């Protein structure tokens, strides 16, 4: 069955088919980017589902390209969709802000006020007295959700714009002491993917 019966063949070859390839590539590359993120987080449910959809869409797109090898527009649509898919995948990942981050803060000034302010905002931290090249410093360790990272950095800048900090991804965090919101999010995920216990 030809879905394009009755449509001008030139329009099909140079507009419709390339557009379908372009959007298919956007979808599969975006899903691929998100799949990599979930794999890096050790997710065993979402990552395989995204992988399945990614490959399925890719097969549809590559089939159209192979059937239109003489059409330059198909190649341009393939490459353009790949580039746009990477861009959108990164944007979606940034908006989702998945995972946890470890933040290390080094400040020469006494950190008592900063610690009190962070505690007041619900952040949990560990503070260590250390020594740097210029003498005594305070070293703070915090584990925060990516969604709250900018808020934390704003607090640090308000306290001391010259404070040194570093941020790194964390693959996993022990469940002890997790915030209520995190627990609720886990419950929501379990509702979407219920696991039945064997009899």
């Amino acid at each position: 069955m030809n879905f394009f019966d009755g449509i001008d063949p030139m329009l099909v070859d140079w507009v419709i088919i390339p557009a379908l390839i372009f959007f298919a590539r956007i979808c599969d590359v975006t899903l691929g980017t998100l799949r990599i993120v979930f794999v890096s987080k050790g997710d065993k449910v979402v990552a395989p589902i995204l992988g399945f959809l990614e490959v399925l869409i890719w097969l549809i797109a590559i089939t159209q390209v192979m059937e239109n090898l003489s059409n330059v527009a198909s190649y341009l649509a393939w490459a353009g969709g790949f580039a746009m898919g990477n861009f959108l995948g990164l944007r979606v990942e940034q908006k989702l802000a998945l995972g946890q981050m470890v933040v290390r803060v080094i400040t020469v000034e006494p950190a008592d006020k900063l610690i009190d302010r962070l505690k007041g905002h619900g952040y949990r931290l560990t503070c260590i007295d250390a020594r740097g090249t210029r003498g005594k410093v305070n070293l703070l360790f915090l584990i925060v959700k990516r969604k709250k990272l900018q808020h934390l950095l704003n607090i640090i800048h308000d306290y001391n714009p010259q404070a040194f900090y570093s941020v790194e991804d964390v693959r996993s965090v022990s469940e002890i002491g997790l915030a209520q919101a995190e627990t609720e999010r886990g419950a929501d995920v379990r509702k979407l993917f219920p696991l039945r216990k064997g009899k």
Side-chain angles (χ1 to χ4, degrees):
M1 179 180 178
N2 190 347
F3 294 100
F4 306 115
D5 285 338
I7 303 176
D8 184 0
M10 289 289 290
L11 181 64
V12 173
D13 291 341
W14 293 96
V15 178
I16 297 178
I17 294 297
L20 291 174
I21 293 171
F22 179 77
F23 287 113
R25 266 321 254 160
I26 288 177
C27 292
D28 91 79
V29 175
T30 300
L31 290 174
T33 303
L34 294 176
R35 175 183 56 79
I36 292 171
V37 172
F38 281 100
V39 167
S40 68
K41 303 298 181 186
D43 193 299
K44 298 178 181 178
V45 177
V46 179
I49 294 174
L50 293 179
F52 174 83
L53 295 174
E54 174 193 356
V55 172
L56 181 62
I57 296 171
W58 181 87
L59 285 172
I60 294 172
I62 194 64
T63 299
Q64 292 302 318
V65 172
M66 297 303 291
E67 291 178 355
N68 296 273
L69 289 175
S70 60
N71 190 345
V72 177
S74 296
Y75 297 109
L76 296 177
W78 179 275
F82 181 83
M84 184 61 70
N86 277 289
F87 173 77
L88 289 179
L90 291 173
R91 292 291 295 170
V92 171
E93 192 273 335
Q94 289 173 354
K95 291 294 183 181
L96 291 176
L98 300 170
Q100 309 270 352
M101 312 293 288
V102 58
V103 181
R104 300 178 183 87
V105 184
I106 300 175
T107 175
V108 176
E109 300 179 9
D112 294 339
K113 292 182 179 179
L114 175 60
I115 292 172
D116 291 339
R117 187 171 178 186
L118 292 172
K119 287 181 178 179
H121 284 278
Y123 293 106
R124 305 183 70 177
L125 57 90
T126 299
C127 180
I128 301 174
D129 292 328
R131 181 173 294 277
T133 55
R134 292 182 293 175
K136 292 183 178 180
V137 295
N138 290 125
L139 176 59
L140 279 64
F141 290 90
L142 301 94
I143 301 291
V144 297
K145 297 178 187 177
R146 281 187 60 190
K147 292 180 179 180
K148 294 185 176 181
L149 178 61
Q150 191 56 53
H151 178 256
L152 171 64
L153 298 182
N154 290 339
I155 294 175
I156 295 171
H157 281 297
D158 289 343
Y159 164 76
N160 181 5
Q162 303 302 318
F164 175 83
Y165 63 86
S166 64
V167 181
E168 296 178 21
D169 281 320
V170 176
R171 176 163 182 172
S172 62
V173 178
S174 63
E175 296 183 2
I176 299 175
L178 284 178
Q180 182 64 29
E182 184 71 13
T183 304
E184 291 174 354
R185 195 184 80 170
D188 293 338
V189 171
R190 286 190 292 273
K191 288 179 183 177
L192 291 174
F193 305 102
L195 298 177
R196 295 183 178 180
K197 296 182 179 178
K199 294 182 179 179

